[in-house]
Structure formats: structure tokens, C-alpha cells
Amino acid sequence: MGQFSMEIRPLPGSLLGGNQHSNTFELLADTRAKIGTLMLAINAKREFWLADVNLSAAIYGGGSGAGSSAAAPSVGDAGGGGH
């Protein structure tokens, strides 16, 4: 389907990119906004791939339907003996 990039680059305006803020609160607000944007992008990609899997299941058969994401184990449920 799509191609995934494993390249890591500093965001424009990040600390590594030479960002200019007049005080700490501006830096925190800017960083918080960037984190929020990244979280939205991550969630959008997650929703895309879940929809892609559900579409494939609907076309080719299998799967448990639209509620299958609710039954998926979370990261905390993966075991690990409480580590």
C-alpha cells in the first residue's frame, strides 16, 4: 500500500532547528502545540490502518466486523510480568 519512512529529522523551529523564543512559556506553549499536532497525525494514521484492515476483511472475508478494534489488546495487556 504505502511506503513508511524511517528517517528522523528535527522539526522546523525545534530546539535542534534553532527556534527563537523570548521566554520559557512561549517555548512550552509551542512545544505543547507541536506535540498535539503530532498526536493528531499519529491517531489519523492509526485510524487509516484500522479502516484499511477492516476494508480488507470486508472484501476478502474474515475479521469480526467494525468492533474489532475494541477487542484488540492494549500495550499494557501485552504481558511482561508487571514490568
Side-chain angles (χ1 to χ4, degrees), residues 61-78:
S64 61
S68 64
S69 64
S74 67
V75 174
D77 295 337

Side-chain angles (χ1 to χ4, degrees), residues 3-48:
Q3 188 172 1
F4 185 74
S5 174
M6 292 298 291
E7 183 176 330
I8 298 175
R9 294 177 288 172
L11 293 172
S14 68
L15 290 175
L16 298 175
N19 132 4
Q20 304 295 323
H21 291 285
S22 62
N23 65 40
T24 304
F25 294 107
E26 286 182 12
L27 174 63
L28 290 172
D30 187 45
T31 302
R32 183 174 289 136
K34 287 178 185 176
I35 290 171
T37 302
L38 288 172
M39 291 300 295
L40 288 173
I42 290 167
N43 285 330
K45 287 181 182 181
R46 177 185 177 274
E47 292 299 319
F48 168 80

